[in-house]
Amino acid sequence: MNFAESVVVGLIATPFIISAVLWFLRIIGFYDIVPERTAHAYVLFGNVLGVVREPGLTLLWFAIGPQALLVRLFGTRHVVDMRLDQEYLRSQPVNSEEGAPMGIGIWYEMFVNDPLAFLFKNADPKGSLRANVSNATVRCLSNMPLVNMLVTRHEMSMAVRDEVSAKSNEWGYATGSVYIRKVHFRDGEMIRQIEEKVVNRLRQVTSAIRQDGTNQVNIIRSTAERQAAIEFARAAAQRPYIVGSALAAISQDQQISTAMFELLELQNLLNGGAKITLVPGGKPMLPQLLASVPR
């Protein structure tokens, strides 16, 4: 085998050799790789050798001792997911202080903070936490006044969280945010009655608003009419005074007064529709009248 062939064979064989070596080292428990937000718990013959939470490469011989040599062959490595998780419980049945059957939707988030308690203190910690949240919701929020149940969601959420946190810690869970997302009526007949009351109330309010508007318009209209009548009456009362004052001023000048009354007289004659014969001045009247007779 020449040099080139040796290099090619070496390049091909090196990855397999490295993988085999790494596999062998992991089998004998020399090292382990822990992902982010994950914990590895090592159990040998029923005894917990240790828990590794730090992400990255971990040398097990230094972390849990020489027993790491046997843990992958005769023991168990438990992988615990410690990422944040969330869940939503729909329509948890509670009753208000007034006896109304209500349903509450509650959302909560949790994560594992104690891998050993999560693994060995409860066979179903997630199911137990779900049941605990449901029971705490019913226990803490029952018999509340209906108005408080509808408007104080933050206080309700805090009450449930305080009730759940102590017990969930025993099972390795840490409870994060808890939020009451929905409060609703569970009785369909009650929902229909409430809708009917709301509709009737809206009709009453609409009718009251319309009637109030009509009354306001009537008030404005009557006020305007009254003010107009007052002004017309005042004008009618002022007219004789104004006309009399004008005639008094005109009568002080005899020529203007005479000319005005002559014009008024002529205007009345023209408006009367009678025939008028105009006779030139300075000539006998009879020939003129005879000349004006139509032939």
Side-chain angles (χ1 to χ4, degrees), residues 72-110:
R72 298 301 301 270
L73 297 176
F74 304 103
T76 305
R77 184 189 67 169
H78 295 279
V79 179
V80 180
D81 188 355
M82 301 180 67
R83 291 176 297 180
L84 187 66
D85 196 4
Q86 60 182 356
E87 191 160 349
Y88 181 63
L89 301 180
R90 299 178 182 276
S91 189
Q92 300 302 304
V94 299
N95 291 324
S96 69
E97 188 181 49
E98 296 82 1
M102 306 296 292
I104 292 180
I106 183 169
W107 170 89
Y108 64 96
E109 61 182 12
M110 68 287 190

Side-chain angles (χ1 to χ4, degrees), residues 65-273:
Q67 295 172 329
L69 181 65
L70 303 176
V71 72
R72 298 301 301 270
L73 297 176
F74 304 103
T76 305
R77 184 189 67 169
H78 295 279
V79 179
V80 180
D81 188 355
M82 301 180 67
R83 291 176 297 180
L84 187 66
D85 196 4
Q86 60 182 356
E87 191 160 349
Y88 181 63
L89 301 180
R90 299 178 182 276
S91 189
Q92 300 302 304
V94 299
N95 291 324
S96 69
E97 188 181 49
E98 296 82 1
M102 306 296 292
I104 292 180
I106 183 169
W107 170 89
Y108 64 96
E109 61 182 12
M110 68 287 190
F111 61 91
V112 176
N113 65 342
D114 188 348
L116 294 181
F118 176 78
L119 290 173
F120 303 113
K121 288 191 176 180
N122 194 315
D124 184 14
K126 189 171 184 178
S128 298
L129 178 61
R130 184 186 306 113
N132 191 23
V133 172
S134 177
N135 295 333
T137 303
V138 176
R139 187 167 54 253
C140 296
L141 306 183
S142 291
N143 297 323
M144 287 183 62
L146 182 59
V147 62
N148 294 340
M149 193 174 293
L150 294 176
V151 299
T152 59
R153 297 191 180 187
H154 179 69
E155 289 76 6
M156 295 163 62
S157 302
M158 295 303 296
V160 174
R161 187 178 185 280
D162 294 340
E163 182 74 13
V164 169
S165 295
K167 196 66 178 178
S168 64
N169 287 330
E170 295 182 5
W171 303 329
Y173 265 123
T175 306
S177 299
V178 177
Y179 182 60
I180 305 295
R181 294 185 62 181
K182 184 178 181 181
V183 178
H184 64 94
F185 294 95
R186 290 187 289 114
D187 191 344
E189 182 64 21
M190 178 176 290
I191 295 174
R192 190 190 63 78
Q193 292 177 357
I194 292 175
E195 289 178 347
E196 185 176 354
K197 289 182 179 178
V198 171
V199 171
N200 291 334
R201 182 58 180 164
L202 289 176
R203 288 175 178 170
Q204 293 175 357
V205 172
T206 303
S207 178
I209 293 174
R210 185 181 292 113
Q211 184 62 43
D212 184 68
T214 303
N215 295 337
Q216 293 293 333
V217 171
N218 291 334
I219 291 173
I220 294 172
R221 181 182 299 169
S222 62
T223 303
E225 291 176 351
R226 183 173 59 83
Q227 291 178 350
I230 293 172
E231 295 300 328
F232 283 134
R234 182 177 299 168
Q238 290 291 326
R239 183 174 180 277
Y241 172 76
I242 295 172
V243 173
S245 299
L247 292 176
I250 291 172
S251 62
Q252 293 179 357
D253 191 328
Q254 186 62 36
Q255 292 181 352
I256 294 174
S257 176
T258 302
M260 184 190 71
F261 284 109
E262 287 179 354
L263 288 175
L264 292 175
E265 185 177 0
L266 292 174
Q267 185 66 37
N268 289 332
L269 290 174
L270 293 175
N271 293 337

Side-chain angles (χ1 to χ4, degrees), residues 42-54:
Y42 302 92
V43 180
L44 180 63
F45 305 132
N47 297 322
V48 178
L49 299 182
V51 178
V52 178
R53 298 185 181 185
E54 293 296 327

